[in-house]
Amino acid sequence: MADKRTSIDEPEMTGEQKKVLEKYSAESRYRDFSSKTIAIIVSALAIFLSLYHMYTSYFGTPVTLQHRSLHVAVILALVFLLYPPFKKASRTKLPWYDILFTLMAFSTTVYIFVDYLGIVNRGGMPNTYDLIFGGMLVILVLEAARRVTGWGLPVLGILFLLYGLFGREMSGIFRHRGYTWDEIVNFMYVTTEGVYGTAIGVSATYIFLFILFGAFLSKSGMGQFFNDLAMAIAGQTKGGPAKVAVIASGFLGSINGAAVANVVTTGSFTIPLMRKIGYSRNFAGAVESAASVGGQILPPIMGAAAFIMAEMLGIPYSQIVLAALLPALLFYLGIIVQIHLRATKLGLKGISKDNLPQVMDVLKERGHLLIPLMFLMYMLFFSGRTIIFSAFLTIIVTVIVAMIRKTTRMSVKDILDALENGARMAVSVAVACASVGLVVGIATMTGFGLKLANGIVTLGGESLFLTLVFTMIACIVLGMGLPSIPTYIITATMAAPALVSLGIEPLVAHLFVFYFGLFANITPPVALAAFAAAGISGGDQMKTGFVSLKLAIAGFIVPYMFVYNHSLLLIDTSFVDGTLVVITAVAGVIMLGTAAEGYLFTYMNPVVRLVLFGGSLLFMNPNVIQDVIGFSIIAIVWFWQWQKAKKHGNMEPDESARTTS
């Protein structure tokens, strides 16, 4: 491509970008060792973990407890080797106590491998060594979670442990018989219900391999391909850079599932471009944060959530992807509508076509990188092979396909880097899953999840709508400051049963709680993705958070829509019914975005915006009369605004809107 054209290269992250990422993402605060020997040992350990998971995906895993314990042990070791205990601790030296923690982490799995038959034969009657190593594991998991994710998860884990110990002292529905420390430790360590439960089981299979797949795609230049393709497709349209941010961040977010990292890497390019054409600092940051967070609801990967959901519900992965597709597209449609109307309102143009890459040039240069994704889709949907085998084979195909062109070809060093980076990126998710095991384990022992679900239903007075609202609030609160995957696991365990008890299909209930747990990342007062974007744009953190919330408004309405109308998830619906659902849903989201932006041909007054917003909600529940009223409102508002613009002329772009909203 010509040098004058706007494209994205993939250089090493700048110092400023690292500062922003580390400020809002504890999982990015790595050590950078001064000792080459230690650095090599850490790299070798990370590469070993990746190779181990590739090996087991092809040849099969050891028995469940051994496999999961080895996965956790190496992850914990990497945490204590890579992450300093405090922000101000040395980033270049490895203290003696972290070496001790690393050895302790390995000892927990060595014991399980050495005395596995004894553990099985004891069957819930732990001996002294079981309790010593189990207690050690609980403490190590809590400390690792604190270092990697911050205080949120470990505090939650400690609170649940205390609840397990002292629940007998409580009154009301949350009282239980109480458990001893020995019983809790035994449950957490030598069963597959605690630390080594479903969450870490999914981490040790699907999640790790797909994160590794993302690392190989990144090394091959997939990030640059997505961004260049987005620039070529949408760069010259009204507000082009903002639409580029939405498309590129959606694609990348679906694969890597790391909202804050996505904001920093993609946003460092798209946010300045949005600012350059006239978008305000807050709006530019909000676009990037909303799009990055939304990537995790976008099939096919959904930031690995699709695989966890399939495991928890016991249904095919393909069913999850099909159900999640239309709601995700509606979410992004809502953002695009607001971006386009904002650009029209402010008179913003796109990037000159002469400064953009051409679609065919981009496809010619890197289009072959789509082959691994298409191969993955074939393997997952049509081959009949397991998900982990499909992931393994797709990684191999990625390396082979990348060899086609020199610009994407990976050297031996690149392959080793991808293996190491994949393990490093998996650390935060695995640690979160291990710590979630403590929460879910106690909830299982005490029946807390069922009790909470009953409490939500009671609070809602058995009204579906009120129960949905209270569930939404619970999910947002639980999701504040927590990574998205543990948030989903916790909310699926604690909140989803409330909806299932009212007759909602389990898949619908799980998608509902997943949406709201995820969007906590852009919901003030704790909106980490929006805060990171504000750090790049120079905007106000809270204002950026609230603008992100407005841009993502479809994501807060669509879950209610698919609860009341399962056809939106394409579940047991005919082609005709599905088509009608798509039409009404699209109309509703466009109305919603237009009402949120307050512009159609010309500015809307508050009354018209309110009418349009109310009309959009009519499409939430399938009803012919409501649909007719909704479309009538669209026609009336459209005609009214068109006549108003024709009579008075379009209002001049509001300069203040460029800098304030």
Side-chain angles (χ1 to χ4, degrees):
M1 294 178 203
D3 291 340
K4 67 178 181 178
R5 289 178 176 170
T6 304
S7 65
I8 295 180
D9 295 320
E10 292 184 302
E12 291 296 319
M13 190 175 291
T14 65
E16 192 62 32
Q17 289 173 325
K18 287 182 179 178
K19 287 181 182 178
V20 173
L21 186 58
E22 290 178 5
K23 182 177 180 180
Y24 299 104
S25 176
E27 63 196 60
S28 303
R29 299 169 191 152
Y30 290 125
R31 284 185 172 120
D32 186 9
F33 299 106
S34 57
S35 169
K36 289 186 178 180
T37 302
I38 296 177
I40 290 172
I41 291 173
V42 174
S43 296
L45 185 60
I47 292 170
F48 160 77
L49 184 61
S50 293
L51 291 175
Y52 168 75
H53 281 289
M54 290 189 69
Y55 174 86
T56 55
S57 67
Y58 186 82
F59 292 102
T61 64
V63 293
T64 301
L65 189 62
Q66 291 178 335
H67 174 62
R68 294 179 183 180
S69 71
L70 180 59
H71 175 75
V72 171
V74 180
I75 288 293
L76 290 176
L78 286 173
V79 170
F80 295 120
L81 292 172
L82 285 172
Y83 292 88
F86 306 103
K87 286 184 179 180
K88 295 183 179 179
S90 172
R91 296 284 189 92
T92 59
K93 296 180 180 179
L94 185 65
W96 65 268
Y97 51 81
D98 276 348
I99 296 175
L100 178 61
F101 286 157
T102 300
L103 295 175
M104 290 168 65
F106 280 122
S107 70
T108 60
T109 192
V110 169
Y111 177 72
I112 286 178
F113 272 83
V114 170
D115 195 34
Y116 179 72
L117 288 179
I119 290 171
V120 172
N121 290 332
R122 283 190 289 277
M125 300 294 291
N127 63 18
T128 303
Y129 291 111
D130 292 346
L131 298 177
I132 290 173
F133 286 105
M136 192 186 302
L137 178 68
V138 171
I139 293 170
L140 291 175
V141 166
L142 290 171
E143 170 59 12
R146 183 191 68 81
R147 294 191 186 195
V148 176
T149 67
W151 280 102
L153 270 177
V155 167
L156 190 64
I158 291 170
L159 289 175
F160 268 81
L161 288 172
L162 292 174
Y163 174 68
L165 288 170
F166 304 110
R168 66 170 69 87
E169 308 299 332
M170 299 180 69
S171 59
I173 64 170
F174 293 109
R175 187 177 187 275
H176 63 85
R177 72 173 183 84
Y179 294 88
T180 66
W181 176 250
D182 290 358
E183 289 174 320
I184 290 174
V185 167
N186 180 72
F187 189 83
M188 294 299 171
Y189 181 52
V190 296
T191 74
T192 54
E193 300 291 335
V195 172
Y196 303 135
T198 300
I200 208 66
V202 177
S203 170
T205 49
Y206 313 129
I207 294 177
F208 190 96
L209 284 170
F210 279 92
I211 289 176
L212 187 59
F213 171 53
F216 274 91
L217 282 180
S218 178
K219 272 295 175 183
S220 69
M222 178 62 84
Q224 180 176 348
F225 170 67
F226 277 150
N227 282 289
D228 282 352
L229 187 62
M231 287 295 297
I233 293 172
Q236 63 181 319
T237 62
K238 288 183 179 180
K243 295 173 183 176
V244 169
V246 172
I247 296 170
S249 297
F251 279 133
L252 293 173
S254 177
I255 294 172
N256 63 32
V260 176
N262 205 9
V263 165
V264 174
T265 52
T266 308
S268 61
F269 173 80
T270 58
I271 289 175
L273 273 182
M274 285 187 269
R275 291 284 298 124
K276 186 176 181 180
I277 68 166
Y279 283 115
S280 72
R281 297 178 187 276
N282 297 330
F283 191 85
V287 168
E288 182 58 48
S289 58
S292 294
V293 168
Q296 291 168 268
I297 62 171
L298 183 66
I301 309 300
M302 295 172 64
F307 307 110
I308 302 176
M309 206 174 292
E311 183 76 11
M312 293 186 74
L313 292 173
I315 61 178
Y317 159 83
S318 56
Q319 187 176 338
I320 303 286
V321 170
L322 182 63
L325 181 60
L326 183 55
L329 294 179
L330 291 173
F331 168 78
Y332 278 102
L333 174 63
I335 298 178
I336 292 289
V337 166
Q338 292 183 62
I339 286 172
H340 183 79
L341 292 174
R342 173 65 60 101
T344 304
K345 179 166 66 176
L346 301 180
L348 305 183
K349 306 297 182 183
I351 300 172
S352 171
K353 189 175 182 179
D354 294 335
N355 294 324
L356 291 172
Q358 300 297 310
V359 173
M360 292 309 299
D361 290 340
V362 173
L363 292 175
K364 181 179 178 181
E365 186 70 18
R366 297 179 186 271
H368 58 286
L369 295 179
L370 291 173
I371 294 175
L373 290 176
M374 292 187 289
F375 178 79
L376 176 63
M377 291 299 97
Y378 166 77
M379 291 297 295
L380 291 175
F381 286 98
F382 305 109
S383 71
R385 305 304 294 265
T386 64
I387 293 175
I388 58 175
F389 179 78
S390 300
F392 163 79
L393 212 55
T394 304
I395 292 171
I396 303 300
V397 169
T398 301
V399 175
I400 295 172
V401 168
M403 299 295 179
I404 293 176
R405 293 188 68 85
K406 185 178 180 180
T407 52
T408 61
R409 194 169 298 151
M410 285 185 272
S411 64
V412 173
K413 183 181 183 304
D414 289 331
I415 293 173
L416 292 175
D417 284 345
L419 290 169
E420 180 182 355
N421 292 340
R424 284 184 176 226
M425 289 188 292
V427 164
S428 61
V429 177
V431 166
C433 288
S435 56
V436 162
L438 298 174
V439 176
V440 174
I442 294 295
T444 301
M445 292 180 74
T446 62
F448 179 84
L450 181 60
K451 293 173 183 177
L452 180 63
N454 291 335
I456 292 174
V457 173
T458 301
L459 195 62
E462 298 194 6
S463 161
L464 176 58
F465 180 74
L466 288 177
T467 302
L468 290 173
V469 171
F470 289 128
T471 303
M472 174 187 73
I473 294 171
C475 292
I476 291 174
V477 171
L478 285 170
M480 286 183 176
L482 297 184
S484 58
I485 288 178
T487 297
Y488 162 64
I489 296 171
I490 292 172
T491 54
T493 303
M494 310 287 182
L499 303 182
V500 174
S501 68
L502 291 181
I504 302 299
E505 292 288 332
L507 173 57
V508 178
H510 278 241
L511 282 173
F512 184 89
V513 300
F514 177 59
Y515 263 66
F516 289 113
L518 177 64
F519 289 137
N521 277 292
I522 52 173
T523 305
V526 184
L528 296 182
F531 293 172
I536 297 173
S537 69
D540 179 89
Q541 290 185 348
M542 293 303 292
K543 287 181 179 178
T544 301
F546 282 112
V547 177
S548 299
L549 203 60
K550 191 188 79 167
L551 283 169
I553 189 171
F556 287 81
I557 301 298
V558 166
Y560 286 88
M561 294 175 68
F562 62 62
V563 166
Y564 284 103
N565 185 4
H566 295 180
S567 298
L568 196 63
L569 301 179
L570 304 180
I571 297 176
D572 299 327
T573 184
S574 65
F575 177 78
V576 174
D577 290 340
T579 302
L580 292 174
V581 165
V582 170
I583 292 172
T584 55
V586 167
V589 168
I590 292 175
M591 289 174 73
L592 191 64
T594 306
E597 192 54 44
Y599 185 91
L600 181 63
F601 301 124
T602 186
Y603 285 83
M604 288 181 178
N605 63 52
V607 174
V608 176
R609 294 177 70 175
L610 189 61
V611 169
L612 200 60
F613 176 77
S616 69
L617 298 182
L618 292 174
F619 292 113
M620 184 186 300
N621 196 20
N623 183 289
V624 175
I625 295 176
Q626 290 182 194
D627 290 346
V628 170
I629 295 172
F631 281 115
S632 299
I633 291 174
I634 291 177
I636 292 169
V637 170
W638 186 91
F639 183 76
W640 172 272
Q641 290 295 113
W642 181 71
Q643 286 291 327
K644 184 179 176 183
K646 184 178 178 182
K647 182 177 180 180
H648 301 291
N650 290 329
M651 295 179 66
E652 291 299 318
D654 184 357
E655 293 296 330
S656 65
R658 298 190 185 208
T659 58
T660 60
S661 61

